[in-house]
Amino acid sequence: MYNVPADFINEAKIWEALEQNKNPEPAQIKEVLAKAAEMKGLNLNDVALLTAINDPEMMAELFNTANTVKETIYGKRLVLFAPLYVSNLCKNECLYCAFRASNKGIVRHALSQEEIAKEVEILINQGHKRVLLVAGESYPEQDGFQYVLDAIKTVYSVKNEHGEIRRVNINVAPLTVEEFKQAKDANIGTYQIFQETYHRETYKKVHVGGKKRDYNWRTWALHRAMEAGIDDVGIGVLLGLFDYRFELLATMQHIFELEDKFGVGPHTISVPRMEPATNSDMASHPPFPVSDIDFRKMVAILRLAVPYTGIIMSTRETAKMRRDTFALGVSQISAGSKTNPGGYGETSEDDPSSQFSLGDHRPLDEVIRDVASMGYIPSFCTACYRMGRTGQDFMDLAKPGDIRLHCAPNGLSSFKEYLQNYASPETREIGDELIRETIAGMSGIAKQRAEKLVNRVKAGRDDVYC
Ligand code: SAM
Ligand code: SF4
């Protein structure tokens, strides 16, 4: 079943929706924004229509609506994670990536399990609780996919006086159903994969060698993951490869397909914009560069189109762009990231062996301080996944807004844990004040839970959640 054309990506339908909605009247835009404010999501035509917004006044209305939806559902929380690059070995030829097989300009290395453990210790000592394990599409020969399974096990096994990693998400090449089952048994949180581009012709042009040339194998990957019982999946496209409006609508078609077949859509959407990468002309000159304003617009539209799906912003973007998009819908960010295997043990800012260059080099503590100064609560919470609130269960809880009864208190207690155990004095002061103000502004059960959990952390208990 999974090697037939992925007909749920219907290119003709996408172009038709974009053509039919290319010149909307302000009244039509307002109508779609009013529908979006009900937080029930949008259809393909609605999304196409919003992509046509150019007028600054309408753009401001779009951004305001996205901000309201974001704050209503997510409050001021921002979930934090760190990528963990375990290997840059790769057999594919993706023209935009420094890890592609023929690139002789980088040093190849797959971390040993001991080296992985060292990287994890560094992340734990910084205060991280969630990692996204990343690898190229080739594993050390003697191990095969078992290498990834061992790496996951290693991450979970590292525990020291500063804590432990509580959730491992993975971004690795598409797996078979059997391999997905093994990944589930290894206790992964989210399986994440980016289609790169849903446009078949462009896909063929930019993937010139290796297994990744098979568009359908990649497009069906999340079906296989769900069939294997993984119900937290993450999607995304690599922005810059093709017209972002097409990609946005194709992403919606992928989401509708997953909702239709499995009753639940993706847990997260990532919005990676292409960044320069060693020896990649394409990465320095993306064929369809996405401007800053289109990038913000896209984040806002996604927030309205799938209000309960997390939006992830990586350190590919600058601190300023990251700040701007918190208000538009971003709910998860990476911080203090390195994109080369072994990068956390090194001191240099941008290693040429990195997958791509970063826009935000600040260490975790500085990001936390900045985020908290803006009034956002950095959350290290991993409660839902550990309590089995994933997939449909998570959505059932999230949709009526009940998740705030869990997420707000858990976010605050995990933030308090960070402040107490890892933060610089300056960050601690700003953070403690924010926690006080936030709890003062809460009411009912959420407030009671937040006070109780934060007090437990103050009393020396770690890892408390509801
Ligand atoms: N190798 C696996 C794959 O390709 O699916 C997973 C890991 S790959 C390192 C993770 C993602 O990095 C890719 O899906 C791609 O979207 C992104 N990426 C590659 N080159 C990039 C670049 N120059 N700028 C930004 N992101 C890039
Ligand atoms: Fe390899 Fe993934 Fe980079 Fe492509 S994007 S070259 S598959 S690591």
Side-chain angles (χ1 to χ4, degrees), residues 96 134-135 171 194 196 212 218 238 275 316 355-356:
Y96 45 80
V134 187
N171 182 325
F194 306 151
E196 320 297 13
K212 194 161 164 182
R218 201 166 181 90
L238 183 57
E275 295 296 331
R316 289 173 179 86
Q355 195 199 3
F356 46 79

Side-chain angles (χ1 to χ4, degrees), residues 90 92-94 96-97 99-100 135-137 196 212 355:
C90 196
N92 291 323
E93 288 291 349
C94 310
Y96 45 80
C97 180
F99 294 174
R100 71 192 181 283
E137 185 162 1
E196 320 297 13
K212 194 161 164 182
Q355 195 199 3

Side-chain angles (χ1 to χ4, degrees), residues 105-139:
I106 67 167
V107 180
R108 302 283 169 172
H109 187 51
L111 297 183
S112 65
Q113 299 305 318
E114 291 72 30
E115 287 170 325
I116 292 173
K118 275 193 197 144
E119 291 278 284
V120 174
E121 284 239 20
I122 296 170
L123 292 173
I124 289 174
N125 294 347
Q126 289 174 4
H128 278 292
K129 302 291 181 224
R130 295 168 160 248
V131 302
L132 171 67
L133 193 145
V134 187
E137 185 162 1
S138 171
Y139 309 118

